């Protein structure tokens, strides 16, 4: 990698983007790795890096980000343990923290999930839960070993407590005795040099036989170990030495276990750092609203609505630019502060970002190419007072660019040829661009020279572009216009600012006729472009408005048909219920009539009963017919032919189908409906014609929806610096969002302080019905300064 290529990174501000990426990493080594990222020119490697970022982005959208804070660099400790060294408690706790981080990150994905390019990396994490839990259960803090670390240590400490009680008991007798009340400075027991002593007044130091271990700063108090406590203190001291020896043995045993798993722990650490960098890329992509570009290695660039990542997203104007398809060189012209340099940097910086595996802030479908080198000569000096030294500085860089450019190089020139005589500068600029093109390089250059505009117009595969400027507002619009050369607009701007017309006329007369004609052509082109752009925008507005009206109309028609069908079905259902109820009533009446008929069979009134029964049946049938007539009728098209024997028809009154078996002379039809034969008139049936098997399907408008990423959700919240009321409000909102993001557990940072905020947090967690359990953090998690909450 050449020094010039590395300098180009700085000029294109890749280091600023990497600093933003570093802030997204969770571990210290992950942050360092982010800052050390280097663009790759290998297409396959770049595509793999982008696929990893895409997979991490998808996972974090669904599941939040895994935590990497426990991935502390323990490689030095592992090497020392492998050489037989004994690790300190702090080092062992860090090793256990790496093992726990590896285990939790490995569990971030499940076997049921669809595999991604990151799945093998997660599966390679091994962890060691047995060693992790042994260390955490035996080493409480950097300075405290648990009694449960070994049976021997527990026994020693039990004897130490007994012996300490004996020493204190003997000294308690002395400080409680009236005999020594005037001798003691205070009736207390204290420790000096690891031994229990009592404070004695200096003038009475000989009144208590014993050993002097210390004297106060003023010399007024002696700390004396009475002879009666010497033997007990000696025994306690021996136990302390035994305790120290046992702790050293325990640490040595843990160090040996760590050494035995040295390689797997180191591999886990490297994988964690690598995953930390990948998920940091995903987090940065979310912050920048960035997407993965389509990559190629043929020099083709097609950026759609691309935004410079270091400009505030609220004010940055997206640009669309292409290169390497129908032209290999672009000459960008226009007034100062119009956005030419930003366009140049956007092309170079987004290419470098993609080569690092970063998503780019551009529209979906944007395309970029890999290059062996991106060589940039970009300066911030844009004053008319440029000096020869500035020209010389630029020319030294250009000389290096010319020496290194080839067909795998993207060359970016800012204000090419500036800082010297305009005629010589323009000629030199054209010669430099032509040389780079002959070497096969892709070139983007900014300039003010009219000669370069003409060069772009006359030269094949070279195109003009300009940054739009509004003379009315005297402000650039920052829109890039490809195919249109830019104007300096010096006269128009001066007139707008109030410069005398006399001066402007004299200046206009001094401009050559050729330049005037050229500027007039540019003015006409710009006017035509604006008119076409306005017409195109209006046509697009009308098209969108028409499409919207069409969609609304189709949606309304569909809704109307649906409501109509629903109403018809409801009416049919209610009608069927009424008919069934009527039939049940009729059947009950018939049964009752039959019973009466049986009783009155020999009576003369039997014939009247039969007549009433028939009349009742007739009334029910008429009611049923009237009900059907009142039902909404389907819109049926008129039959295209007459009914013939063998046709299928629908009985309009019954709503059932039947086959025509004969046609009577009076025009009625003999029908077969299941096992039943009946006769029907032509107005009581409807011909069911054969449906066209190739019926054309009516296309319905497809309402496309765009899937929105859920705000990737952090697994921790920091409440430090807030008062209790504000903190609880923030915590409640955070817990709601965490539940919706399917997080299993969260880390709540409240700090140690007075403990008031911690108490308020834990009181709130007790009341939250979604929180299953919570606990204070252990070493490596933040200890008493954090609370870990798990959802049920």
């Amino acid at each position: 990698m050449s020094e010039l290529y590395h300098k180009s990174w700085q000029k294109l501000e890749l280091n600023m983007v990497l600093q933003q990426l570093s802030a997204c990493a969770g571990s210290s080594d992950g942050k360092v790795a982010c800052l050390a990222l280097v663009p790759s020119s290998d297409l396959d490697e770049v595509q793999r890096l982008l696929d990893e970022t895409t997979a991490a982005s998808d996972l974090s959208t669904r599941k939040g980000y895994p935590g990497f804070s426990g991935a502390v660099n323990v490689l030095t400790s592992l090497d020392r343990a492998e050489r037989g060294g004994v690790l300190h408690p702090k080092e062992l706790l860090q090793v256990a923290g790496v093992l726990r981080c590896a285990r939790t990150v490995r569990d971030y994905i499940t076997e049921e999930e669809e595999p991604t390019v990151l799945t093998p990396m997660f599966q390679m994490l091994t962890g060691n839960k047995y060693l992790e839990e042994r260390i955490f259960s035996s080493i409480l803090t950097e300075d405290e070993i648990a009694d449960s670390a070994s049976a021997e240590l527990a026994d020693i400490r039990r004897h130490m407590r007994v012996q300490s009680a004996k020493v204190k008991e003997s000294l308690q007798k002395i400080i409680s005795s009236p005999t020594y009340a005037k001798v003691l400075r205070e009736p207390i027991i204290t420790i000096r040099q690891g031994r229990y002593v009592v404070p004695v007044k200096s003038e009475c130091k000989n009144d208590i036989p014993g050993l002097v271990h210390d004297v106060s700063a003023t010399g007024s108090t002696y700390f004396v170990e009475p002879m009666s406590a010497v033997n007990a203190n000696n025994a306690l001291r021996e136990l302390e030495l035994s305790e120290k020896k046992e702790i050293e043995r325990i640490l040595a045993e843990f160090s040996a276990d760590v050494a035995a798993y040295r390689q797997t722990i180191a591999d886990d650490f490297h994988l964690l750092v690598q995953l930390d960098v990948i998920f940091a890329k995903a987090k940065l992509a979310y912050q920048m609203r960035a997407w993965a570009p389509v990559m190629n290695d043929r020099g083709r660039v097609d950026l759609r609505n691309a935004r410079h990542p270091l400009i505030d997203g609220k004010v940055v104007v997206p640009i669309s630019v292409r290169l390497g398809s129908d032209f290999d060189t672009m000459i960008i012209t226009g007034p100062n502060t119009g956005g030419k340099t930003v366009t140049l940097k956007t092309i170079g910086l987004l290419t470098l970002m993609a080569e690092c595996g970063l998503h780019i802030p551009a529209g979906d479908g944007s395309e970029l190419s890999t290059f062996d080198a991106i060589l940039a000569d970009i300066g911030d000096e844009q004053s008319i007072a440029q000096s020869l030294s500035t020209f010389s500085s630029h020319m030294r860089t250009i000389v290096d660019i010319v020496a290194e450019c080839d067909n795998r190089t993207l060359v970016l020139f800012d204000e090419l040829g500036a800082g010297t005589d305009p005629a010589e500068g323009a000629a030199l600029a054209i010669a430099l661009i032509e040389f780079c093109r002959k070497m096969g390089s892709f070139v983007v250059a900014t300039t003010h020279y009219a000669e370069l505009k003409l060069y772009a117009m006359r030269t094949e595969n070279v195109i003009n572009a300009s940054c739009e400027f509004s003379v009315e507002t005297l402000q650039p619009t920052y829109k890039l216009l490809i195919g249109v050369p830019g104007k300096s607009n010096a006269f128009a701007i001066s007139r707008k600012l109030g410069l005398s017309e006399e001066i402007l006329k004299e200046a206009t007369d001094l401009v050559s006729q050729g330049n005037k004609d050229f500027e007039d052509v540019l003015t006409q082109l710009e006017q035509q472009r604006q008119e076409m752009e306005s017409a195109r925008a209006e046509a697009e507005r009308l098209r969108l408005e028409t499409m919207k009206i069409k969609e609304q109309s189709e949606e309304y028609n569909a809704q109307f048909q649906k409501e109509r069908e629903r109403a018809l079905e409801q009416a049919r259902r209610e009608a069927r219920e009424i008919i069934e109820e009527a039939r049940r009533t009729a059947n009950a009446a018939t049964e009752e009539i039959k019973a009466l008929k049986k009783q009155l069979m020999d009576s003369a009134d039997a014939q009247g009963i039969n007549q009433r029964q028939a009349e009742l049946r007739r009334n029910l049938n008429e009611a049923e017919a009237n009900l059907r007539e009142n039902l909404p009728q389907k819109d049926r098209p008129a039959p295209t032919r007459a009914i013939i024997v063998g046709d299928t028809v629908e009985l309009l009154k019954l709503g059932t189908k039947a086959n025509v078996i004969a046609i009577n002379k009076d025009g009625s039809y003999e029908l077969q409906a299941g096992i039943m034969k009946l006769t029907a008139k032509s107005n009581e049936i409807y011909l069911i014609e054969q449906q066209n098997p190739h019926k054309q399907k009516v296309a319905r408008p497809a309402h496309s929806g765009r899937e929105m990423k859920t705000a990737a959700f952090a697994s921790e919240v920091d409440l430090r610096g807030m008062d209790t009321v504000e903190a609880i409000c923030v915590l409640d909102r955070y817990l709601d969002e965490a539940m919706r993001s399917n997080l299993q557990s969260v880390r709540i940072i409240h700090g140690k302080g007075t403990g008031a905020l911690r108490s308020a947090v834990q009181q709130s967690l007790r009341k939250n019905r979604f929180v299953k359990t919570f606990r204070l953090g252990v070493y490596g998690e933040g200890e008493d300064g954090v609370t870990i909450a798990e959802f049920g």
Side-chain angles (χ1 to χ4, degrees), residues 303-314:
L303 293 174
R304 305 173 184 177
N305 295 321
R307 308 179 304 277
H308 194 288
L310 300 179
I311 300 178
D312 187 355
K314 297 179 180 179

Side-chain angles (χ1 to χ4, degrees), residues 335-378:
N336 289 328
T337 70
K340 301 190 301 298
T341 303
V342 171
T343 300
L344 210 64
K345 286 186 175 182
T346 300
I347 297 172
L349 180 55
L350 295 194
T351 302
L352 291 174
M353 288 175 62
E355 290 180 341
C356 290
L358 295 170
H359 287 181
I360 62 170
D364 192 21
S366 293
E367 188 172 3
L368 286 172
S369 173
T370 57
F371 296 97
D372 289 343
I374 300 176
L375 306 179
D377 175 41
I378 298 177

Side-chain angles (χ1 to χ4, degrees), residues 418-606:
T420 186
D421 178 77
E424 293 181 357
L428 188 59
I430 294 173
L432 287 170
I433 292 174
E434 274 299 303
F435 179 84
C436 293
R437 294 186 65 226
K438 288 178 182 178
M439 299 301 295
S441 300
F442 297 87
V443 181
V444 181
T446 67
T447 184
H448 285 285
Y449 294 139
E451 291 85 349
L452 266 72
K453 303 175 189 177
L454 292 173
Y455 162 75
M457 288 179 173
R458 296 168 178 170
T459 308
E460 187 178 2
N461 292 329
V462 181
I463 196 167
N464 272 307
S466 60
C467 292
E468 190 178 50
F469 187 89
S470 173
V471 179
E472 296 299 323
T473 63
L474 298 181
Q475 293 293 328
T477 65
Y478 302 106
K479 293 181 180 178
L480 183 68
L481 309 175
I482 296 178
V484 180
K487 293 180 60 179
S488 65
N489 293 304
F491 292 166
I493 293 173
S494 301
R495 179 176 288 106
K496 192 74 175 178
L497 293 175
L499 187 63
S500 166
E501 285 293 335
E502 181 181 354
I503 298 175
L504 288 171
K505 182 178 182 305
E506 184 175 352
T508 304
D509 294 339
L510 293 175
V511 178
S512 66
Q513 187 62 39
N515 285 339
K516 289 181 182 178
D517 295 340
F518 181 70
E519 289 296 324
D520 290 342
V521 170
L522 290 182
T523 301
Q524 293 174 7
L525 286 174
E526 179 63 16
Q527 289 176 350
Q528 292 175 4
R529 185 199 64 79
Q530 291 181 359
E531 291 173 358
M532 292 175 62
E533 185 71 18
S534 177
R536 187 197 65 78
E538 179 64 18
E540 180 66 14
R541 186 188 67 80
L542 292 174
R543 186 186 70 82
L544 293 175
E545 186 176 336
T546 303
M547 287 295 296
K548 184 177 180 181
I549 293 173
K550 180 182 177 183
E551 291 177 358
Q552 291 175 346
S553 176
E554 291 177 348
E555 184 178 356
Y556 173 78
N557 287 335
Q559 185 68 21
F560 175 78
Q561 290 295 331
K562 188 182 297 183
E563 292 293 334
R564 184 172 179 272
E565 288 296 328
R566 187 182 297 114
L568 289 173
E569 182 61 29
Q570 178 68 17
R572 294 190 190 100
R573 185 166 53 252
E574 292 176 356
R576 284 194 295 268
E577 291 175 356
I578 294 171
I579 292 171
E580 289 300 323
E581 180 63 27
R583 287 190 181 277
R584 285 193 294 270
T585 303
N587 290 334
T590 301
E591 292 299 325
E592 183 178 353
I593 291 171
K594 284 181 180 180
L596 291 173
K597 182 179 179 182
K598 185 176 181 181
Q599 295 175 4
L600 304 173
M601 186 61 69
D602 297 332
S603 172
D605 197 34

